[in-house]
Amino acid sequence: MKYRNQDGSLTTKSQIKSATNMSLPKVWKAATLESLGVDPVLASPKPELGDYEVAVADGAVQSNGNWVEAWKVVPMFTATEDATVDEQIAEYDASRLQRRREGMTVSNLDLRLAMNEEGVYGAVEGAMAKSTNTTELEIHWNFSSTVNRLDAWVLEITEALGLDDEKVDELFSKAAGEV
């Protein structure tokens, strides 16, 4: 919980304790708050955010006789000497996409069913045969219980199938029941 000082600044209980030489009770009642010259600030929900926006604490405001947290919405990115806003957004989106792909794990069965629905399952054997690593690919393909989107063998097979990243993402999403 935060507390509002008489000058309008916000502070925490531990900051108040370290700034005072008084012995303070565990539970702060109205008399304690009055002697310290602070008012409790109630938590409030952050506002709705658009793409590439963040909510930043902006002091406290009175609402129905209580002090509550105030928020302001600001852009997530601002232009710097190193990068424009568009460049920062592109890097952010690429990072989010990479993290999403790192988390894409499905069962081998579900992936095979999704590939069958999309009409590419039958071409897998032929795609593996093109590799210099055919035996290793066949072992993974036939015996892995789970399949990670970014496994090297998955990338090799999907590239041999001529699938772009978006199509592979779609297959994994379908296999995970997200589509």
Side-chain angles (χ1 to χ4, degrees), residues 92-105:
Y92 175 78
D93 286 345
S95 174
R96 281 181 39 194
L97 180 58
Q98 179 66 17
R99 284 193 308 275
R100 181 174 174 267
R101 286 177 175 159
E102 288 169 358
M104 291 177 134
T105 300

Side-chain angles (χ1 to χ4, degrees), residues 108 112 137-146 153:
N108 197 329
R112 287 171 183 242
L137 291 177
E138 287 175 346
I139 291 168
H140 283 293
W141 177 247
N142 291 316
F143 299 105
S144 293
S145 56
T146 58
W153 69 272

Side-chain angles (χ1 to χ4, degrees), residues 71-157:
W71 298 97
K72 67 179 174 183
V73 176
V74 298
M76 186 180 288
F77 305 105
T78 56
T80 65
E81 290 181 18
D82 297 330
T84 66
V85 169
D86 288 341
E87 290 169 337
Q88 292 174 57
I89 288 172
E91 185 177 325
Y92 175 78
D93 286 345
S95 174
R96 281 181 39 194
L97 180 58
Q98 179 66 17
R99 284 193 308 275
R100 181 174 174 267
R101 286 177 175 159
E102 288 169 358
M104 291 177 134
T105 300
V106 296
S107 75
N108 197 329
L109 172 65
D110 289 336
L111 181 60
R112 287 171 183 242
L113 291 171
M115 292 176 84
N116 187 53
E117 276 185 49
E118 293 298 313
V120 295
Y121 179 77
V124 172
E125 298 293 328
M128 286 191 292
K130 294 177 188 175
S131 173
T132 58
N133 232 3
T134 303
T135 303
E136 186 176 329
L137 291 177
E138 287 175 346
I139 291 168
H140 283 293
W141 177 247
N142 291 316
F143 299 105
S144 293
S145 56
T146 58
V147 181
N148 300 309
R149 164 68 176 84
L150 296 178
D151 283 347
W153 69 272
V154 172
L155 298 176
E156 187 173 343
I157 290 174

